Amino acid sequence: MSITRLHPGPRMSQAVIHNGTVYLAGQVGTPGADVATQTGDCLAAIDALLQEAGTDKSKLLQVIIWLADMADFQDMNAVYDAWIDPANPAARACGEAKLATPDYKVEFIVTAAV
């Protein structure tokens, strides 16, 4: 049973691949930027990690989105809807949470098939 860790650090790995599934760490955008910019940053980081893991967004299984303020839901969705593969949407949840610092407005957690 093989486990591959991408960009491991002392606290976490950016991605872990196991048994045909890749689990991404929470992705955040540029601190202090607006939610649309942070969403775009997150999705670009997700694309890069998925590519490195040998997969892409067409194989998303689950997306969990944490917003610091649900008032940003529509602005986040405008960017997300332009990015997601409409033929292969993931199971998705979105909620409001206090993020690591007030400079973060959104965080994405993704699981995908490899």
Side-chain angles (χ1 to χ4, degrees):
M1 190 177 306
S2 172
I3 298 173
T4 302
R5 299 177 196 285
L6 302 180
H7 309 285
R11 182 173 293 147
M12 61 183 239
S13 296
Q14 284 299 309
V16 176
I17 305 164
H18 175 261
N19 203 25
T21 304
V22 59
Y23 305 87
L24 271 54
Q27 299 300 306
V28 294
T30 303
D34 63 45
V35 74
T37 299
Q38 287 191 21
T39 299
D41 293 346
C42 292
L43 299 177
I46 289 166
D47 281 335
L49 285 167
L50 291 176
Q51 181 178 13
E52 189 174 350
T55 191
D56 60 55
K57 65 185 173 187
S58 73
K59 296 189 175 67
L60 290 174
L61 301 172
Q62 183 178 48
V63 175
I64 299 170
I65 305 164
W66 293 115
L67 287 165
D69 185 342
M70 285 304 289
D72 289 331
F73 186 70
Q74 288 183 332
D75 291 339
M76 178 277 298
N77 271 331
V79 178
Y80 181 87
D81 290 347
W83 173 81
I84 194 70
D85 178 355
N88 298 291
R92 186 183 118 161
C94 183
E96 185 176 282
K98 186 173 182 177
L99 300 178
T101 77
D103 292 331
Y104 293 129
K105 298 185 181 304
V106 63
E107 181 173 357
F108 282 78
I109 304 165
V110 169
T111 305
V114 176

